Amino acid sequence: DVKVTQSSRYLVKRTGEKVFLECVQDMDHENMFWYRQDPGLGLRLIYFSYDVKMKEKGDIPEGYSVSREKKERFSLILESASTNQTSMYLCASSFGGDGTTEAFFGQGTRLTVV
Amino acid sequence: SQQGEEDPQALSIQEGENATMNCSYKTSINNLQWYRQNSGRGLVHLILIRSNEREKHSGRLRVTLDTSKKSSSLLITAARAADTASYFCATDAPESSGDKLTFGTGTRLAVRP
């Protein structure tokens, strides 16, 4: 079974802190994604990566950066956390190709910025 | 931008009834997928339908796709209490790189025992 593991289920950080959310997948997937999920807004794409060291902005990249130094690991970085970044963060991966493959999700990280 | 919009936002039915959820999208697509999310958890893939397909079945799930109307529906037959979850459609556009999926806002389904 594909496994996507996010480093924390719950996280509480202070305003202004630098925050790292880690995601690891064990199926040699090409693509990895970071979404945030807020009530009434569904899932919104922050950043995605289709290869090591490659990244592309999603719909809401402001205030975030990412790192993909190894194929299995995709990190989301909040450079200076703000209260409006309180949210559920979901990492996903997929095999890659012509979009006919499913995305596998981690269990989510609920981040609270105080 | 939000590609998919699910309708209704919330649905409550009795066990044994059928549940129908709809998804509308704005641009051309390669494929449309449906996902399920139990409360506070990650999403789980349910079914994928290609843009050249009109209907697909998987167990108690039936998905239809109408590309002329840019819409899809997910039917869950004989719903069970365990089907209580949020359901999302997701699309990928032909010009997108990295198989980027765009999700809708979801339908919350409650199945009463």
Side-chain angles (χ1 to χ4, degrees):
Chain A
D1 278 354
V2 174
K3 193 164 185 183
V4 179
T5 303
Q6 295 182 227
S7 52
S8 306
R9 282 279 283 146
Y10 300 95
L11 214 50
V12 180
K13 295 292 181 180
R14 295 195 180 277
T15 302
E17 276 193 75
K18 191 168 186 175
V19 181
F20 293 85
L21 302 183
E22 307 286 347
C23 176
V24 177
Q25 51 95 2
D26 64 0
M27 280 299 291
D28 203 35
H29 282 173
E30 302 290 332
N31 302 320
M32 297 191 74
F33 309 85
W34 275 106
Y35 292 88
R36 67 175 278 177
Q37 183 178 21
D38 301 288
L41 297 177
L43 278 74
R44 292 179 292 168
L45 183 64
I46 305 171
Y47 267 98
F48 67 102
S49 168
Y50 50 90
D51 201 353
V52 176
K53 296 190 187 294
M54 304 300 289
K55 59 187 179 185
E56 281 198 25
K57 293 179 180 179
D59 299 317
I60 51 164
E62 296 79 19
Y64 304 94
S65 62
V66 289
S67 171
R68 191 157 181 211
E69 295 296 317
K70 293 185 178 181
K71 193 174 187 180
E72 68 270 17
R73 187 180 296 270
F74 192 36
S75 303
L76 179 70
I77 303 155
L78 286 66
E79 297 292 342
S80 177
S82 63
T83 54
N84 63 14
Q85 292 178 310
T86 291
S87 186
M88 169 74 101
Y89 289 87
L90 292 164
C91 173
S93 71
S94 68
F95 180 71
D98 61 357
T100 60
T101 54
E102 64 189 270
F104 293 84
F105 280 81
Q107 75 279 26
T109 296
R110 189 166 292 282
L111 172 67
T112 302
V113 182
V114 298
Chain B
S1 59
Q2 289 293 317
Q3 168 74 315
E5 297 290 335
E6 283 88 342
D7 167 55
Q9 289 188 341
L11 181 61
S12 180
I13 60 172
Q14 203 73 31
E15 213 166 20
E17 293 180 340
N18 295 341
T20 299
M21 288 158 268
N22 303 297
C23 167
S24 60
Y25 57 92
K26 295 174 184 171
T27 64
S28 60
I29 61 171
N30 279 330
N31 307 284
L32 186 143
Q33 304 181 37
W34 284 90
Y35 288 79
R36 165 196 169 121
Q37 183 183 35
N38 286 0
S39 179
R41 313 294 294 187
L43 278 71
V44 176
H45 179 265
L46 293 176
I47 195 167
L48 178 150
I49 186 165
R50 299 172 191 266
S51 58
N52 61 357
E53 297 176 314
R54 291 297 166 258
E55 189 170 313
K56 201 160 184 181
H57 296 256
S58 177
R60 292 184 297 114
L61 304 180
R62 173 178 168 255
V63 170
T64 62
L65 178 64
D66 187 336
T67 53
S68 66
K69 295 181 180 178
K70 292 187 170 57
S71 67
S72 173
S73 68
L74 172 67
L75 168 67
I76 303 174
T77 58
R80 305 166 182 167
D83 294 326
T84 294
S86 292
Y87 292 83
F88 295 87
C89 67
T91 56
D92 66 302
E95 70 277 6
S96 73
S97 58
D99 304 325
K100 184 177 72 169
L101 285 177
T102 303
F103 286 82
T105 50
T107 292
R108 292 189 313 278
L109 173 65
V111 182
R112 302 186 303 276

